[in-house]
Amino acid sequence: MEKKSIWQIFRNGLIDENPTFRLLLGMCAPLAITTSASNAIGMGLATTFVLVCSNAVISALRRVIPKEVRLPAFITIIAGFVTIVSLVMQRYFASLYDSLGVFLELIVVNCIILGRAEMFASKNKVIPSLADGLGMGLGFTAALLIISTIREILGNLSWFGFSFFGDDVSGMLFFILPAGAFFVLGMLTALMNVIFAKKPAKKNDAGCAGCPGASACGGSCDRKEAEAK
Amino acid sequence: MTVFRNICVILVSAILVDNYVLSQFLGICPFLGVSKKTSSALGMSGAVIAVMTIAGAVTWPIHKYVLEPYDLTYLSTMAFILIIAMLVQCIEILLKRFIPALYNSLGVYLPLITTNCAVLGVTLLNVDQYGKFYEAVLNSFAAGIGFALALILFSGIREKLETCEIPKAFQGMPIALIAASITALSFAGFAGLFGI
């Protein structure tokens, strides 16, 4: 693998391999909590924090963790950081904590984090892993913000909780319903396919069904690795 | 009578009204990832129902009798994910040893279940929502059935999509998401059933 600069690694996560729009990893949160923009920012930043910390720790420990038990070890490290985030959020951002609900704790099984640990942090030094975590995390946050902006403006006629027309006018309920989440995400993914004008994502890239291991990683990991070589 | 009513309410709400996939967005990854063929959808569903029910039955007592008395509930996420990972591994080993035929059909899906957020999500929601053991187990089982229902229905739709002509930009994931949107819309029709 040729050496990439820190900036390239960062940019890679933010744009070229945006976890939500390009890799289609970790799809539960982007669909579930994007009914309002403030939720999206909270969730995005919480995930970014966990991703950066777990990437750094896993990368620092990459020679210590035996290969056979790496997945349980990674999950334990990630779960530790998620617990930290949820305790801090419970204490200082109680309303956000309530509206994110169980999805905050489900960051543990967010495939982006385990995926990056397996694909990047366990093979690279600490500083590039930090950059990768930050890029991927911010890319995830940006994706959440875009989806939630569309859903909140169309569905609630408001943005970050500020209502445009007062409470008398209601928006299109469809975009707040679960169905709207799938719809908006589908449209945005299609848009990204047009913008990047690359081959549309292969059907078997469908994502994180495979995250627990590189061998099982539904195809996207293998493809990226093949490209890297 | 209240027990019977409870059972009905839990079943209907977990399978139809609050379907874990289509209205609570848990387990979206396998829902999108393993739904290309009905046969693999069936295998995945079977594995998820089994793991979810057992996970629900194991985590609830641990939360109630170990974590709660010692004031360790903040460790629940960490404890549950490790329990689920261990459970999946054990089931895999046992199946391989004793029921090789079943292992061959479900085996490949088992490791994927560890990171299925529906399983962790159900166990976490169980300890919040249900005060009785049978309710927690039943809810886990019903959540598994709901997952299976959504996955199998959706895989049927995707098999049909294979033969359709789709605009280039929509090929692959985008059209699957749009199809999921329509499926979710149909499940939204259950909202308010039985006044739940």
Side-chain angles (χ1 to χ4, degrees):
Chain A
M1 203 205 289
E2 65 181 284
K3 280 265 181 235
K4 283 182 176 172
S5 74
I6 302 295
W7 167 248
Q8 275 171 326
I9 292 170
F10 176 73
R11 201 192 107 105
N12 180 46
L14 195 57
I15 300 166
D16 303 335
E17 285 186 15
N18 184 294
T20 304
F21 293 133
R22 302 296 299 168
L23 298 183
L24 291 162
L25 287 178
M27 301 301 271
C28 302
L31 291 166
I33 53 89
T34 48
T35 46
S36 80
S38 40
N39 275 1
I41 290 280
M43 185 69 185
L45 293 183
T47 311
T48 308
F49 172 79
V50 176
L51 194 51
V52 169
C53 295
S54 69
N55 256 11
V57 171
I58 288 167
S59 152
L61 293 176
R62 69 188 185 283
R63 293 187 205 289
V64 183
I65 299 173
K67 207 168 183 301
E68 294 77 17
V69 293
R70 66 186 193 287
L71 290 175
F74 293 171
I75 288 186
T76 316
I77 292 169
I78 295 166
F81 283 113
V82 171
T83 309
I84 295 174
V85 169
S86 71
L87 288 177
V88 169
M89 206 175 260
Q90 203 170 358
R91 171 71 179 80
Y92 294 103
F93 305 97
S95 64
L96 189 62
Y97 179 82
D98 288 337
S99 61
L100 292 181
V102 75
F103 284 95
L104 192 64
E105 261 131 46
L106 289 179
I107 296 177
V108 180
V109 282
N110 188 322
C111 315
I112 301 169
I113 298 176
L114 199 57
R116 291 327 282 176
E118 171 82 17
M119 281 169 58
F120 198 95
S122 60
K123 293 171 194 155
N124 287 284
K125 291 200 180 105
V126 176
I127 301 291
S129 302
L130 278 175
D132 180 72
L134 199 60
M136 283 281 163
L138 292 181
F140 182 69
T141 313
L144 287 188
L145 189 60
I146 294 170
I147 300 170
S148 64
T149 300
I150 295 173
R151 286 184 72 195
E152 199 183 347
I153 288 179
L154 291 178
N156 251 348
L157 298 177
S158 63
W159 199 46
F160 280 103
F162 297 113
S163 186
F164 296 143
F165 303 110
D167 292 336
D168 303 335
V169 193
S170 57
M172 286 181 269
L173 180 66
F174 173 75
F175 286 96
I176 294 295
L177 285 178
F182 284 113
F183 181 77
V184 171
L185 189 59
M187 285 301 185
L188 284 172
T189 328
L191 186 67
M192 292 291 155
N193 279 345
V194 174
I195 291 175
F196 283 82
K198 286 177 187 168
K199 274 184 289 179
K202 268 188 258 152
K203 282 171 198 146
N204 64 351
D205 281 2
C208 56
C211 274
S215 60
C217 184
S220 58
C221 306
D222 297 342
R223 185 170 56 94
K224 296 297 169 212
E225 265 174 49
E227 277 176 10
K229 273 170 199 162
Chain B
M1 205 49 203
T2 49
V3 173
F4 180 71
R5 189 177 172 279
N6 258 353
I7 291 176
C8 291
V9 168
I10 289 173
L11 282 177
V12 171
S13 79
I15 297 176
L16 296 177
V17 183
D18 279 333
N19 187 293
Y20 274 78
V21 179
L22 292 169
S23 58
Q24 302 200 25
F25 299 113
L26 293 169
I28 295 296
C29 302
F31 178 68
L32 294 172
V34 202
S35 57
K36 271 172 308 174
K37 284 203 205 101
T38 308
S39 58
S40 52
L42 280 171
M44 185 69 178
S45 307
V48 166
I49 293 174
V51 173
M52 227 180 227
T53 315
I54 300 171
V58 173
T59 52
W60 193 90
I62 286 186
H63 187 268
K64 180 92 178 165
Y65 298 112
V66 179
L67 297 180
E68 256 177 26
Y70 295 101
D71 231 359
L72 292 172
T73 43
Y74 63 92
L75 281 180
S76 56
T77 314
M78 223 162 171
F80 287 5
I81 187 73
L82 289 177
I83 291 169
I84 292 168
M86 190 191 70
L87 206 64
V88 169
Q89 205 92 69
C90 290
I91 295 175
E92 201 178 345
I93 294 168
L94 286 177
L95 276 186
K96 206 172 185 174
R97 172 69 184 80
F98 294 109
I99 324 175
L102 193 62
Y103 174 78
N104 288 333
S105 58
L106 296 187
V108 284
Y109 304 107
L110 277 173
L112 308 185
I113 292 178
T114 314
T115 51
N116 183 336
C117 54
V119 179
L120 184 63
V122 166
T123 56
L124 287 171
L125 290 174
N126 268 345
V127 296
D128 275 350
Q129 289 172 356
Y130 297 105
K132 294 202 180 75
F133 180 65
Y134 81 91
E135 292 176 337
V137 177
L138 194 69
N139 183 53
S140 319
F141 175 70
I145 301 278
F147 177 85
L149 181 71
L151 186 61
I152 293 165
L153 283 178
F154 188 55
S155 72
I157 297 173
R158 283 191 78 177
E159 278 192 349
K160 284 263 187 248
L161 280 177
E162 289 282 306
T163 55
C164 297
E165 261 188 53
I166 299 159
K168 198 163 172 246
F170 278 91
Q171 275 167 19
M173 248 10 244
I175 194 70
L177 286 166
I178 304 285
S181 160
I182 297 168
T183 321
L185 206 54
S186 65
F187 267 77
F190 290 116
L193 200 67
F194 291 97
I196 299 163

